[in-house]
Amino acid sequence: MGRAVNGEWLRTGEVAAAAGVNAQTLRYYHRRGLLREPPRSDGGHRLYPPRTVTVLRMIKAAQRLGFTLEEVADLVEATAHRRGGPDGGLRVRVEAKLDEVERRIADLRTVRETLVRAVDAGCEDLEACAVNPGCPLPFPGPADPPPFAARRDV
C-alpha cells in the first residue's frame, strides 16, 4: 500500500495513540458507523489515513460537549457530505445542543434549590419528610386508584 494523501498510512495502534483513545474504541466506532472500514495491508493490518486522527478527536470533543454517539454520527455524516459548507448543519445542531444544555442547567438549578431547602428545613428522614406538609421535597400526592381496580362488591 502506498502513501496516504497527507502522509504515511497509520496502523490501528498508531491512530489510537495519536487520538488518545484505545484500539477497542476505534473498533467500536467502526461498528457504530462513525468510521469507515479502512483498507488493509498485504499482512492484514488496517491502514488509516492521517485524517482519521482528526476525525477521532472530533468525535471525542463532541462527546465531551454532550453529544450522544448517535448525534456525533450525524455530525460526522454531515461533515463528510458537505465539507463544512454554509448549510453543513453544524450550527443548527450546536444551537439545539445548547438549548438542551440550558434546559438541563435550569433543571439542575431547581434540583439544587430544592435540596438546599431540604437541608435548611432539617429533613433527616424521608418518611417523616414525606408526611410533613412543609417538606420541600417533591413527593407526589396520594395516588388515584387504578382505573380498573378489582371491585369487592361483585
Side-chain angles (χ1 to χ4, degrees):
M1 178 124 311
R3 291 180 170 265
V5 175
N6 294 323
E8 296 292 326
W9 290 91
L10 304 170
R11 289 185 177 185
T12 300
E14 295 169 321
V15 170
V21 300
N22 62 45
Q24 266 54 32
T25 300
L26 203 57
R27 290 195 241 331
Y28 179 69
Y29 289 167
H30 280 294
R31 287 193 306 273
R32 292 291 304 257
L34 292 164
L35 296 174
R36 289 188 208 124
E37 192 64 36
R40 291 184 183 257
S41 70
D42 293 337
H45 297 283
R46 289 179 173 94
L47 297 174
Y48 296 90
R51 178 183 177 280
T52 306
V53 174
T54 302
V55 172
L56 286 167
R57 288 178 179 161
M58 273 180 1
I59 292 168
K60 297 310 286 181
Q63 284 183 295
R64 281 191 298 276
L65 292 174
F67 287 92
T68 65
L69 277 182
E70 186 175 313
E71 292 167 330
V72 172
D74 190 39
L75 287 169
V76 169
E77 181 72 18
T79 299
H81 287 296
R82 295 190 179 105
R83 284 283 183 212
D87 61 345
L90 178 62
R91 182 181 185 100
V92 170
R93 288 169 175 89
V94 169
E95 287 172 349
K97 182 55 70 177
L98 182 58
D99 288 344
E100 177 187 321
V101 167
E102 293 292 346
R103 284 190 304 276
R104 288 173 42 204
I105 288 170
D107 289 346
L108 286 171
R109 282 189 180 121
T110 300
V111 168
R112 182 187 183 285
E113 291 165 8
T114 302
L115 292 172
V116 166
R117 288 195 318 270
V119 168
D120 291 346
C123 294
E124 296 287 339
D125 179 299
L126 277 180
E127 188 173 345
C129 215
V131 296
N132 178 354
C135 177
L137 297 179
F139 292 102
D144 295 330
F148 300 104
R151 292 179 50 187
R152 294 181 185 250
D153 60 346
V154 181

